[in-house]
Amino acid sequence: MDQTEPAALRVALAYHEAWTGKDMDTAMKYIAEDIVCDAPAGRIEGAAAYRAFLGPFAESLTGSAMIAAYGDEERALVMYDTASPRVASAPGAECVTVVDGRIAYSRFLFDRLPFARRP
Amino acid sequence: MDQTEPAALRVALAYHEAWTGKDMDTAMKYIAEDIVCDAPAGRIEGAAAYRAFLGPFAESLTGSAMIAAYGDEERALVMYDTASPRVASAPGAECVTVVDGRIAYSRFLFDRLPFARRP
């Protein structure tokens, strides 16, 4: 972890590395208990609901690659690609607001269509 | 336009302001003739095809708001929300590579599902 990176970017990158590495316990250390996440299907509230949303997808990953990551002390914006048996290339983007070292708000974006086509 | 912003971010913001303002002629000044855009439905190649892809959506906009924008001298990453009669809130994210003041490559991400549901 590059300590010269702005604080929110550092959290976003550490979080990303953990969940794409299927280490949800570590990933959740970067998620606020009262996280609010606006995802394509609607709002997800609270760490437990968030883990239930992301955990199964993380577990299914066969690959991932960061496309770009930027941020400052308060917010970070990342875009990445993921691979899973259901969808070979499913990019995502997250704009996260970090408070006290944890992600308190996330705007989460991905294309649901390929997942809807292959249930 | 803030001249202290890194070059690629400046281009991405000027481009964004133009197309969301339905000024496609100005927007296209920031698009390379041989642009390659990887969008959810596949690759779009060349400025004419890109304009045909984006123009009708731009024309349909009833609102837009930048969520976050970051970048450096070569690349920029933006996330924004859009509103149109078809979809009240359709966020998008673009990671653009800028060469000689124009977007030469774009990774374009949005959720196609609400558009597929409401043809």
Side-chain angles (χ1 to χ4, degrees):
Chain A
M1 201 184 290
D2 182 350
Q3 293 296 333
T4 65
E5 282 165 343
L9 177 57
R10 215 157 59 222
V11 168
L13 291 172
Y15 162 73
H16 181 85
E17 184 179 343
W19 82 260
T20 57
K22 307 188 184 195
D23 182 354
M24 284 302 295
D25 288 339
T26 298
M28 294 307 294
K29 291 178 183 167
Y30 299 104
I31 299 296
E33 268 307 311
D34 59 350
I35 184 174
V36 172
C37 173
D38 283 322
R43 179 162 282 192
I44 299 159
E45 294 184 89
Y50 187 81
R51 184 173 184 148
F53 161 69
L54 188 64
F57 179 66
E59 191 53 45
S60 78
L61 286 182
T62 54
S64 70
M66 186 62 85
I67 295 171
Y70 294 95
D72 50 38
E73 297 300 318
E74 286 83 35
R75 294 204 305 168
L77 180 58
V78 301
M79 181 184 280
Y80 50 85
D81 204 3
T82 66
S84 67
R86 285 171 74 192
V87 183
S89 171
E94 294 171 43
C95 180
V96 298
T97 303
V98 173
V99 179
D100 295 336
R102 292 175 178 238
I103 295 169
Y105 178 77
S106 169
R107 184 82 186 233
F108 197 126
L109 178 55
F110 66 98
D111 178 20
R112 285 179 292 169
L113 194 59
F115 293 94
R117 281 176 176 159
R118 288 163 211 169
Chain B
M1 200 184 289
D2 181 350
Q3 292 297 333
T4 65
E5 282 165 342
L9 177 58
R10 214 157 59 222
V11 168
L13 290 173
Y15 162 72
H16 180 84
E17 184 180 344
W19 81 260
T20 57
K22 308 188 184 196
D23 182 353
M24 285 302 296
D25 287 339
T26 298
M28 294 308 294
K29 292 178 182 167
Y30 299 104
I31 299 296
E33 268 306 311
D34 58 350
I35 185 174
V36 173
C37 172
D38 283 322
R43 179 162 282 193
I44 298 158
E45 295 184 89
Y50 187 81
R51 184 173 184 148
F53 160 70
L54 188 64
F57 179 67
E59 192 53 44
S60 78
L61 286 181
T62 54
S64 70
M66 186 62 85
I67 295 170
Y70 294 96
D72 50 37
E73 296 301 318
E74 286 83 36
R75 293 204 305 168
L77 180 57
V78 301
M79 181 183 280
Y80 51 84
D81 203 3
T82 66
S84 67
R86 285 172 73 191
V87 183
S89 171
E94 294 171 42
C95 180
V96 299
T97 303
V98 172
V99 178
D100 295 336
R102 292 175 178 237
I103 295 170
Y105 177 78
S106 170
R107 185 82 185 233
F108 197 125
L109 178 55
F110 67 97
D111 179 20
R112 284 179 293 169
L113 194 59
F115 293 93
R117 281 176 174 158
R118 289 164 209 168

